[in-house]
Amino acid sequence: MLVPFDSLPAESRVYYYPSSRKLYPKEVPSLKKKVEDFCEQLSDSHIGFQIVHDRFLVFFVSDRTPLSIDQNDALVEFVLDLERQFELSLLDKVNVCFKQGQFVQRKEVNEFKKLIKSRSVSGKTLVFDPLIMTKSDFLTNWEVPLSESWLSHLL
C-alpha cells in the first residue's frame, strides 16, 4: 500500500535505484504514476517512494511490513520493466554518483579515480552512498562529502 514518505518509520528499509541518465521532465509524471500504481498493488506492505534529483528512484518499505520474497521479486521485475520502458539502467549500482555543482554525475569507479587524480573532484565533492539501508540513513548519510564516504580510500 502506498503511504506518504513522512509517515514511514525511520527504520524503513531503502531500495535505491540510480538512473543511468537524468529523467526528462516529460517522463517524470508517467514514471510517478507507474510507481504509485505498483506500490498500491503491494497491499501487505507500507511502501513509499521518492524520485530525487530526477536521477534516483528510491523506495522505502516500513520495517513493520517488510516485502515478502514474492513482493521483492515483483519489485525487481517492475524496475526491469521501467528500464525497458524508459530506456535507462536502474539496477547498475557499481558506478559512482556524485554532484558537480548543481548537476548529478555518474561515472564508473575507474573514471572517478581519474577525476580524483586530475583534481576535478575533491574530498568536499558530494557523493551518494549506495550502501544506505534505512530511511534514517537516507536522510542523514546518503549525500556525504567524498572524504566521509565509502570512497574516501581513493583520496
Side-chain angles (χ1 to χ4, degrees), residues 96 109 112 116 127 146 148-155:
V96 179
V109 174
F112 192 71
I116 292 172
V127 296
L146 173 61
E148 298 173 23
S149 77
W150 65 282
L151 294 163
S152 62
H153 68 279
L154 298 176
L155 292 172

Side-chain angles (χ1 to χ4, degrees), residues 63-74:
D63 59 324
R64 298 177 193 131
T65 59
L67 296 181
S68 68
I69 292 172
D70 290 340
Q71 289 172 324
N72 194 57
D73 289 347

Side-chain angles (χ1 to χ4, degrees), residues 32-144:
K32 278 186 179 179
K33 177 69 171 129
K34 289 176 186 301
V35 174
E36 288 169 356
D37 291 347
F38 173 78
C39 291
E40 283 298 337
Q41 294 174 11
L42 300 175
S43 57
D44 295 339
S45 295
H46 293 158
I47 185 170
F49 74 94
Q50 289 192 344
I51 298 171
V52 185
H53 301 301
D54 292 332
R55 194 68 185 247
F56 305 97
L57 176 57
V58 188
F59 290 94
F60 303 88
V61 179
S62 173
D63 59 324
R64 298 177 193 131
T65 59
L67 296 181
S68 68
I69 292 172
D70 290 340
Q71 289 172 324
N72 194 57
D73 289 347
L75 175 60
V76 172
E77 280 298 316
F78 174 70
V79 171
L80 285 168
D81 193 42
L82 291 176
E83 286 185 327
R84 287 187 288 274
Q85 290 177 41
F86 292 91
E87 298 178 0
L88 50 77
S89 171
L90 292 165
L91 292 169
D92 183 1
K93 298 181 183 180
V94 294
N95 292 310
V96 179
C97 294
F98 61 100
K99 281 187 174 177
Q100 275 193 319
Q102 64 184 23
F103 299 104
V104 174
Q105 304 291 326
R106 180 178 164 182
K107 300 286 184 193
E108 292 181 10
V109 174
N110 287 337
E111 297 260 335
F112 192 71
K113 287 180 185 177
K114 290 177 186 176
L115 292 175
I116 292 172
K117 281 187 180 182
S118 70
R119 298 183 187 214
S120 296
V121 297
S122 71
K124 294 180 183 178
T125 300
L126 291 179
V127 296
F128 297 91
D129 186 353
L131 305 176
I132 58 169
M133 299 294 290
T134 65
K135 177 183 172 185
S136 177
D137 287 342
F138 174 80
L139 293 171
T140 59
N141 299 316
W142 184 51
E143 286 186 47
V144 295

